[in-house]
Amino acid sequence: MRRLLVPAILAVVSATGGAAIAVAAGPDPVIGTWQLNVSKSTFKPGPAFKGQTRTYSQSGQSITVAIKTVRADGKETTTQTTYQLDGKDYPVKGSPDVDSDSVKQVDSNTANFTLKKAGKVVQSGSRTVSKDGKTLTVKSTGTSANGGKFDDVLVFDKQ
């Protein structure tokens, strides 16, 4: 009996462990294109963006995000970074405010991020995809390149 029990337990442990690995290796729910819902977002102190589109793609463990923003004054910017959810710093291109990003997974729908300029933390926050996968909420606080403090909550709709 004992000789049969040990292989049975090993089989169950292997099967459930494999399922956990398969789930962990699946795509991040943030993958896709997200459009800023300005009316649901808050910009402190403001002014609000006119618009923003975030496009996330994934290749293996790496996630790339391209962020196209139309600021209140109508100026457009595009920033991009490719990162992993490991808390290490990765370069950010196209932003006057930040030059590196580190992201750490909290749970299957949430990740925390820290943005730096010249090695100094200038922004931190989180991104959370709703359980139904239709809404992305990005909360961030920090200091802009011109020294202004901000505390924003950006709400996006999945496209």
Side-chain angles (χ1 to χ4, degrees), residues 2 8 12 16 18 21-22 28 50 53 55 61 69-70 88 91 106 120 129 135 149 152:
R2 183 179 283 172
V12 169
T16 58
I21 291 169
D28 190 307
K50 286 187 177 180
T53 302
T55 304
Q61 297 295 318
T69 304
V70 180
K88 295 180 183 177
V106 175
K120 179 183 173 189
V129 177
T135 305
K149 303 270 187 208
D152 298 341

Side-chain angles (χ1 to χ4, degrees):
M1 177 75 165
R2 183 179 283 172
R3 286 189 351 199
L4 294 176
L5 187 58
V6 171
I9 291 172
L10 287 175
V12 169
V13 169
S14 295
T16 58
I21 291 169
V23 169
D28 190 307
V30 79
I31 302 308
T33 300
W34 301 87
Q35 188 70 43
L36 180 66
N37 186 326
V38 177
S39 66
K40 290 183 180 178
S41 301
T42 58
F43 297 83
K44 293 179 187 174
F49 295 154
K50 286 187 177 180
Q52 187 176 90
T53 302
R54 293 177 175 231
T55 304
Y56 291 85
S57 59
Q58 186 169 4
S59 178
Q61 297 295 318
S62 295
I63 296 172
T64 298
V65 59
I67 304 172
K68 294 181 181 183
T69 304
V70 180
R71 298 190 181 272
D73 61 6
K75 290 184 182 177
E76 293 185 26
T77 61
T78 300
T79 59
Q80 183 173 326
T81 185
T82 299
Y83 62 90
Q84 294 186 18
L85 298 167
D86 58 7
K88 295 180 183 177
D89 288 342
Y90 293 91
V92 174
K93 298 176 188 171
S95 172
D97 297 329
V98 302
D99 55 25
S100 72
D101 185 16
S102 65
V103 185
K104 188 94 170 156
Q105 186 127 21
V106 175
D107 59 38
S108 61
N109 287 30
T110 304
N112 289 336
F113 60 85
T114 303
L115 300 167
K116 297 177 183 176
K117 179 75 172 179
K120 179 183 173 189
V121 174
V122 293
Q123 184 177 345
S124 62
S126 64
R127 66 161 171 84
T128 303
V129 177
S130 62
K131 291 185 191 248
D132 67 6
K134 295 180 180 181
T135 305
L136 168 65
T137 303
V138 178
K139 297 178 181 179
S140 61
T141 59
T143 306
S144 66
N146 63 10
K149 303 270 187 208
F150 62 89
D151 185 4
D152 298 341
V153 177
L154 307 180
V155 179
F156 296 85
D157 299 317
K158 183 97 182 226
Q159 300 301 292

